[in-house]
Amino acid sequence: MNKETINFLSKLVIKPRLTSTHTDYANFVGCSMLPSMFNDKYNKVNQYILDTRERIAGNTPPADPAMEKIQLVNSVFEPLIKALFIFEMKKEGFTIKDKQAKAEKSFRHSSIKLSASLDGLMDINGKETIVEFKRSAISDFEKIKEFYYPQLQGQMMCTGIKTLYLVVLNKFSDELSWEKIAYDDDWRTAIEKAVKDFWSRVIETNTF
């Protein structure tokens, strides 16, 4: 980490982001659920279905202690990653206008039951852009991008915003990586089908 960044961080005051989602999960699939619908290596989809059924019934699903810990850690790291990203982008000559207040809402798709909660929203060089922050132990940025790509495309589908930056802070180093990603309409049909299939499974009677 260079002296300029260290000096920046020494003066930085982090305000935790305590509300990271605005999605009504009883009625909408959150875009953060989409990666597991395309690559369920963590076996999450069945639990998503059970939790959704509980919410529809008016109940609160059992808390997941591991997920609560992740959310607590992310409430601090997301603002940190955001601050570092803005700092580095301005060094490269980009103009940045933070629009976080606009990001603090649920963006619902117009025709399917899909909703996006955004980590960040900014005008970058005058263009409204979604910013998605991740903290990962994986050093291969392409693997991270590949896994989260459905989420990123879903966010652009819900908002109508056609540009997004994926920003990743490595857990075991100070390396901050990012890439500008454009909306890809080739993903639209696959995401629409995944969301509709999810809701079809929610109303089935099987309990796995």
Side-chain angles (χ1 to χ4, degrees):
M1 188 177 295
N2 60 48
K3 289 183 179 180
E4 188 177 8
T5 303
I6 292 172
N7 183 56
F8 167 74
L9 290 173
S10 70
K11 300 175 182 177
L12 183 64
V13 177
I14 293 293
K15 181 180 179 182
R17 186 185 183 212
L18 300 177
T19 304
S20 60
T21 182
H22 301 275
T23 296
D24 172 9
Y25 287 107
N27 294 292
F28 291 88
V29 166
C31 285
S32 62
M33 298 160 65
L34 289 174
S36 294
M37 294 182 188
F38 285 87
N39 181 4
D40 196 18
K41 63 181 180 180
Y42 301 117
N43 299 313
K44 289 185 175 182
V45 175
N46 286 347
Q47 190 61 53
Y48 288 155
I49 291 169
L50 293 173
D51 288 350
T52 302
R53 291 173 179 171
E54 284 292 307
R55 292 185 176 101
I56 290 172
N59 303 319
T60 301
D64 180 346
M67 183 57 64
E68 289 181 337
K69 183 177 180 180
I70 290 171
Q71 291 171 343
L72 179 62
V73 171
N74 284 347
S75 71
V76 175
F77 273 100
E78 279 188 12
L80 172 62
I81 298 169
K82 174 183 173 181
L84 283 169
F85 174 67
I86 293 173
F87 174 71
E88 295 293 343
M89 290 289 278
K90 286 183 175 180
K91 278 171 55 180
E92 293 188 9
F94 289 85
T95 59
I96 307 286
K97 180 182 178 182
D98 189 11
K99 303 174 72 173
Q100 190 63 40
K102 186 176 178 180
E104 300 297 341
K105 59 174 285 189
S106 175
F107 294 83
R108 296 175 176 178
H109 194 278
S110 60
S111 60
I112 57 174
K113 298 176 75 173
L114 178 68
S115 177
S117 290
L118 307 182
D119 289 348
L121 190 62
M122 304 176 189
D123 283 342
I124 300 179
N125 283 353
K127 186 172 185 178
E128 191 168 51
T129 304
I130 299 167
V131 190
E132 177 67 23
F133 304 113
K134 301 294 184 186
R135 181 171 170 259
S136 178
I138 300 171
S139 58
D140 188 335
F141 186 92
E142 288 302 311
K143 287 184 178 180
I144 299 169
K145 183 178 74 172
E146 180 182 4
F147 179 74
Y148 288 110
Y149 209 72
Q151 176 184 359
L152 311 180
Q153 292 297 326
Q155 289 174 340
M156 288 187 274
M157 286 173 59
C158 289
T159 61
I161 298 169
K162 304 301 184 185
T163 307
L164 179 150
Y165 273 88
L166 173 62
V167 185
V168 180
L169 179 68
N170 188 279
K171 279 186 178 182
F172 303 118
S173 73
D174 58 7
E175 182 180 5
L176 187 72
S177 305
W178 62 85
E179 184 177 318
K180 184 179 179 180
I181 296 171
Y183 173 68
D184 183 353
D185 195 59
D186 289 343
W187 273 84
R188 177 172 53 83
T189 300
I191 289 174
E192 288 175 348
K193 182 179 184 303
V195 172
K196 290 175 182 177
D197 287 350
F198 176 86
W199 287 108
S200 293
R201 292 183 65 189
V202 166
I203 63 175
E204 290 174 357
T205 57
N206 64 296
T207 57
F208 314 112

